[in-house]
């Protein structure tokens, strides 16, 4: 229940957000009564609530909602998990991919659960570094595996649209634990697989 990706909006929060969005539009010099902007406060309010719904979701519960006995201790890798988040410094989007690998001990999880867990941390105000660590720690806590490896590659609108204006610049962050931390061959094997 806590991890369902549904669009539910608290009416009190929605109403207040709409007022503030309207105030921002006025401060930016916009005519809030022109046709194109009439429903903008409502749309922005809903979009912001949708994009931050991860606070209501429990990553460990998502992973543990489908547990199976591990057949062996081979690396499980989910590559190219699409990821969209909001940078907490500018409230602008950053988008990219997450690669998550783990070495099961006793339990494995459903592959789609890993993608949903990534969403639950991405749909919050984030910095990419913390998002990466949260994904690793969630895998650790939910599965107690022999090791976890996470790499996130993302492009930040706050860099590409303003400031440095470096379009195409990718930020890469990583977090490792267990065998991926201790054994450089295991880590290199993972890094080669996601190239
Ligand atoms: Zn930013």
């Amino acid at each position: 229940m806590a991890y369902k990706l549904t669009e539910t909006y608290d009416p009190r929060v929605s109403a207040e957000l709409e007022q503030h969005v309207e105030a921002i539009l006025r401060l930016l010099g916009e005519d809030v009564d022109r046709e194109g902007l009439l429903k903008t406060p409502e749309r922005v309010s809903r979009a912001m609530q949708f994009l931050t719904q991860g606070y209501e979701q429990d990553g460990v519960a998502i992973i543990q909602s489908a547990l199976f006995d591990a057949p062996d201790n081979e690396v499980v890798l989910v590559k190219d998990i699409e990821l969209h988040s909001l940078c907490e410094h500018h409230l602008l989007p950053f988008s990219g991919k997450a690669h998550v690998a783990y070495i099961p001990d006793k339990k494995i999880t459903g592959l789609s659960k890993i993608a949903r867990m990534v969403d639950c941390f991405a749909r919050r105000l984030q910095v990419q570094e913390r998002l990466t660590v949260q994904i690793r720690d969630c895998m650790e806590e939910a599965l107690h595996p022999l090791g976890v490896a996470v790499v996130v590659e993302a492009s930040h609108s706050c860099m590409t649209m303003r400031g440095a204006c470096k379009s195409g610049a990718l930020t890469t962050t990583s977090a490792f634990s267990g065998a991926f931390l201790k054994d450089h061959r295991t880590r290199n094997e993972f890094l080669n697989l996601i190239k």
Side-chain angles (χ1 to χ4, degrees):
M1 62 179 230
Y3 51 85
K4 252 188 156 176
L5 299 182
T6 50
E7 294 193 38
T8 50
Y9 305 102
D10 178 330
R12 188 190 57 81
V13 172
S14 297
E16 267 196 54
L17 272 170
E18 286 172 34
Q19 286 171 20
H20 290 298
V21 173
E22 191 179 316
I24 289 170
L25 291 171
R26 283 184 204 282
L27 285 166
L28 293 174
E30 278 290 352
D31 168 9
V32 295
D33 294 321
R34 71 181 171 85
E35 203 192 355
L37 293 182
L38 281 179
K39 297 205 96 182
T40 296
E42 185 188 330
R43 283 188 292 252
V44 173
S45 159
R46 286 176 175 251
M48 293 307 286
Q49 289 176 83
F50 180 85
L51 295 173
T52 56
Q53 67 182 291
Y55 292 114
E56 311 294 325
Q57 297 159 358
D58 179 344
V60 172
I62 294 171
I63 294 295
Q64 292 183 340
S65 67
L67 286 184
F68 310 97
D69 288 332
D72 51 35
N73 301 118
E74 296 297 324
V75 173
V76 179
L77 166 65
V78 186
K79 243 174 95 162
D80 297 329
I81 301 169
E82 193 181 332
L83 171 153
H84 302 281
S85 189
L86 282 179
C87 113
E88 68 184 16
H89 300 139
H90 303 92
L91 303 189
L92 288 171
F94 65 94
S95 296
K97 292 172 186 169
H99 314 289
V100 180
Y102 69 107
I103 303 171
D105 185 10
K106 295 187 176 61
K107 294 288 176 188
I108 56 170
T109 185
L111 299 178
S112 67
K113 305 299 176 196
I114 295 177
R116 280 175 64 185
M117 176 272 285
V118 168
D119 265 347
C120 106
F121 290 111
R123 288 181 176 153
R124 303 175 188 197
L125 301 186
Q126 279 290 10
V127 295
Q128 186 178 325
E129 295 87 338
R130 187 175 62 227
L131 171 63
T132 309
V133 168
Q134 283 174 336
I135 294 168
R136 178 200 63 193
D137 291 350
C138 179
M139 291 294 287
E140 276 288 332
E141 194 185 334
L143 293 174
H144 302 293
L146 301 176
V148 180
V150 181
V151 166
V152 175
E153 304 167 297
S155 163
H156 291 247
S157 304
C158 61
M159 274 185 76
T160 54
M161 295 180 68
R162 54 165 288 288
C165 278
K166 293 280 182 266
S167 62
L170 272 188
T171 304
T172 303
T173 46
S174 58
F176 302 102
S177 70
F180 291 101
L181 199 60
K182 287 180 221 128
D183 180 359
H184 65 89
R185 278 172 312 170
T186 307
R187 184 165 65 240
N188 286 340
E189 187 194 334
F190 163 75
L191 292 172
N192 279 326
L193 284 170
I194 64 168
K195 255 181 201 162

